[in-house]
PDB file of all heavy atoms in Angstrom:
ATOM      1  N   ARG F 123     -13.141 192.891 168.311  1.00  0.00           N
ATOM      2  CA  ARG F 123     -11.987 193.818 168.604  1.00  0.00           C
ATOM      3  C   ARG F 123     -11.362 194.323 167.304  1.00  0.00           C
ATOM      4  O   ARG F 123     -11.021 195.483 167.227  1.00  0.00           O
ATOM      5  CB  ARG F 123     -10.954 193.043 169.417  1.00  0.00           C
ATOM      6  CG  ARG F 123     -11.384 192.658 170.865  1.00  0.00           C
ATOM      7  CD  ARG F 123     -10.124 192.267 171.690  1.00  0.00           C
ATOM      8  NE  ARG F 123     -10.578 191.829 173.025  1.00  0.00           N
ATOM      9  CZ  ARG F 123     -10.693 190.564 173.350  1.00  0.00           C
ATOM     10  NH1 ARG F 123     -10.427 189.571 172.490  1.00  0.00           N
ATOM     11  NH2 ARG F 123     -11.052 190.222 174.612  1.00  0.00           N
ATOM     12  N   TRP F 124     -11.185 193.458 166.329  1.00  0.00           N
ATOM     13  CA  TRP F 124     -10.638 193.917 165.052  1.00  0.00           C
ATOM     14  C   TRP F 124     -11.634 194.894 164.399  1.00  0.00           C
ATOM     15  O   TRP F 124     -11.234 195.889 163.795  1.00  0.00           O
ATOM     16  CB  TRP F 124     -10.395 192.726 164.142  1.00  0.00           C
ATOM     17  CG  TRP F 124      -9.165 191.943 164.547  1.00  0.00           C
ATOM     18  CD1 TRP F 124      -9.156 190.712 165.178  1.00  0.00           C
ATOM     19  CD2 TRP F 124      -7.817 192.306 164.292  1.00  0.00           C
ATOM     20  NE1 TRP F 124      -7.859 190.326 165.374  1.00  0.00           N
ATOM     21  CE2 TRP F 124      -7.007 191.258 164.840  1.00  0.00           C
ATOM     22  CE3 TRP F 124      -7.233 193.334 163.687  1.00  0.00           C
ATOM     23  CZ2 TRP F 124      -5.585 191.301 164.784  1.00  0.00           C
ATOM     24  CZ3 TRP F 124      -5.791 193.436 163.639  1.00  0.00           C
ATOM     25  CH2 TRP F 124      -5.033 192.405 164.160  1.00  0.00           C
ATOM     26  N   HIS F 125     -12.894 194.596 164.518  1.00  0.00           N
ATOM     27  CA  HIS F 125     -13.898 195.473 163.908  1.00  0.00           C
ATOM     28  C   HIS F 125     -13.867 196.846 164.508  1.00  0.00           C
ATOM     29  O   HIS F 125     -13.939 197.885 163.814  1.00  0.00           O
ATOM     30  CB  HIS F 125     -15.303 194.819 164.144  1.00  0.00           C
ATOM     31  CG  HIS F 125     -16.462 195.677 163.734  1.00  0.00           C
ATOM     32  ND1 HIS F 125     -17.044 196.595 164.596  1.00  0.00           N
ATOM     33  CD2 HIS F 125     -17.206 195.748 162.586  1.00  0.00           C
ATOM     34  CE1 HIS F 125     -18.056 197.167 164.004  1.00  0.00           C
ATOM     35  NE2 HIS F 125     -18.179 196.699 162.821  1.00  0.00           N
ATOM     36  N   GLU F 126     -13.689 196.942 165.825  1.00  0.00           N
ATOM     37  CA  GLU F 126     -13.685 198.278 166.530  1.00  0.00           C
ATOM     38  C   GLU F 126     -12.469 199.072 166.171  1.00  0.00           C
ATOM     39  O   GLU F 126     -12.499 200.313 166.330  1.00  0.00           O
ATOM     40  CB  GLU F 126     -13.708 197.996 168.062  1.00  0.00           C
ATOM     41  CG  GLU F 126     -15.023 197.346 168.509  1.00  0.00           C
ATOM     42  CD  GLU F 126     -16.253 198.119 168.139  1.00  0.00           C
ATOM     43  OE1 GLU F 126     -16.554 199.071 168.867  1.00  0.00           O
ATOM     44  OE2 GLU F 126     -16.895 197.772 167.163  1.00  0.00           O
ATOM     45  N   LEU F 127     -11.398 198.483 165.680  1.00  0.00           N
ATOM     46  CA  LEU F 127     -10.235 199.208 165.232  1.00  0.00           C
ATOM     47  C   LEU F 127     -10.509 200.067 164.023  1.00  0.00           C
ATOM     48  O   LEU F 127      -9.742 200.983 163.690  1.00  0.00           O
ATOM     49  CB  LEU F 127      -9.065 198.250 164.938  1.00  0.00           C
ATOM     50  CG  LEU F 127      -8.459 197.543 166.162  1.00  0.00           C
ATOM     51  CD1 LEU F 127      -7.395 196.566 165.672  1.00  0.00           C
ATOM     52  CD2 LEU F 127      -7.870 198.514 167.154  1.00  0.00           C
ATOM     53  N   LEU F 128     -11.625 199.793 163.313  1.00  0.00           N
ATOM     54  CA  LEU F 128     -11.992 200.592 162.158  1.00  0.00           C
ATOM     55  C   LEU F 128     -12.599 201.922 162.492  1.00  0.00           C
ATOM     56  O   LEU F 128     -12.805 202.757 161.624  1.00  0.00           O
ATOM     57  CB  LEU F 128     -12.951 199.768 161.254  1.00  0.00           C
ATOM     58  CG  LEU F 128     -12.453 198.431 160.737  1.00  0.00           C
ATOM     59  CD1 LEU F 128     -13.592 197.747 160.013  1.00  0.00           C
ATOM     60  CD2 LEU F 128     -11.287 198.652 159.805  1.00  0.00           C
ATOM     61  N   GLN F 129     -12.984 202.119 163.773  1.00  0.00           N
ATOM     62  CA  GLN F 129     -13.649 203.330 164.168  1.00  0.00           C
ATOM     63  C   GLN F 129     -12.661 204.529 164.143  1.00  0.00           C
ATOM     64  O   GLN F 129     -11.451 204.323 164.125  1.00  0.00           O
ATOM     65  CB  GLN F 129     -14.185 203.171 165.607  1.00  0.00           C
ATOM     66  CG  GLN F 129     -15.277 202.119 165.693  1.00  0.00           C
ATOM     67  CD  GLN F 129     -16.262 202.431 166.808  1.00  0.00           C
ATOM     68  OE1 GLN F 129     -16.757 203.523 166.932  1.00  0.00           O
ATOM     69  NE2 GLN F 129     -16.614 201.430 167.605  1.00  0.00           N
ATOM     70  N   PRO F 130     -13.189 205.759 164.038  1.00  0.00           N
ATOM     71  CA  PRO F 130     -14.595 206.115 164.168  1.00  0.00           C
ATOM     72  C   PRO F 130     -15.389 205.960 162.863  1.00  0.00           C
ATOM     73  O   PRO F 130     -14.846 206.280 161.796  1.00  0.00           O
ATOM     74  CB  PRO F 130     -14.565 207.612 164.598  1.00  0.00           C
ATOM     75  CG  PRO F 130     -13.273 208.111 163.980  1.00  0.00           C
ATOM     76  CD  PRO F 130     -12.332 206.938 164.022  1.00  0.00           C
ATOM     77  N   PHE F 131     -16.635 205.478 162.961  1.00  0.00           N
ATOM     78  CA  PHE F 131     -17.475 205.352 161.840  1.00  0.00           C
ATOM     79  C   PHE F 131     -18.223 206.658 161.562  1.00  0.00           C
ATOM     80  O   PHE F 131     -18.574 207.400 162.467  1.00  0.00           O
ATOM     81  CB  PHE F 131     -18.486 204.215 162.023  1.00  0.00           C
ATOM     82  CG  PHE F 131     -17.850 202.886 162.249  1.00  0.00           C
ATOM     83  CD1 PHE F 131     -18.126 202.115 163.387  1.00  0.00           C
ATOM     84  CD2 PHE F 131     -16.930 202.367 161.349  1.00  0.00           C
ATOM     85  CE1 PHE F 131     -17.538 200.880 163.565  1.00  0.00           C
ATOM     86  CE2 PHE F 131     -16.324 201.129 161.542  1.00  0.00           C
ATOM     87  CZ  PHE F 131     -16.637 200.397 162.648  1.00  0.00           C
ATOM     88  N   ASN F 135     -16.419 207.004 156.513  1.00  0.00           N
ATOM     89  CA  ASN F 135     -15.947 205.672 156.946  1.00  0.00           C
ATOM     90  C   ASN F 135     -17.180 204.937 157.516  1.00  0.00           C
ATOM     91  O   ASN F 135     -17.297 204.772 158.721  1.00  0.00           O
ATOM     92  CB  ASN F 135     -14.873 205.831 157.987  1.00  0.00           C
ATOM     93  CG  ASN F 135     -14.292 204.504 158.441  1.00  0.00           C
ATOM     94  OD1 ASN F 135     -14.156 203.587 157.638  1.00  0.00           O
ATOM     95  ND2 ASN F 135     -14.036 204.408 159.766  1.00  0.00           N
ATOM     96  N   PRO F 138     -19.217 198.748 158.634  1.00  0.00           N
ATOM     97  CA  PRO F 138     -19.452 197.617 157.731  1.00  0.00           C
ATOM     98  C   PRO F 138     -20.792 196.975 157.917  1.00  0.00           C
ATOM     99  O   PRO F 138     -21.311 196.873 159.051  1.00  0.00           O
ATOM    100  CB  PRO F 138     -18.355 196.641 158.094  1.00  0.00           C
ATOM    101  CG  PRO F 138     -17.263 197.444 158.699  1.00  0.00           C
ATOM    102  CD  PRO F 138     -17.979 198.532 159.447  1.00  0.00           C
TER     103      PRO F 138
END
Side-chain angles (χ1 to χ4, degrees):
R123 291 194 185 101
W124 285 103
H125 173 273
E126 296 301 280
L127 291 176
L128 300 174
Q129 295 210 48
F131 299 125
N135 182 37

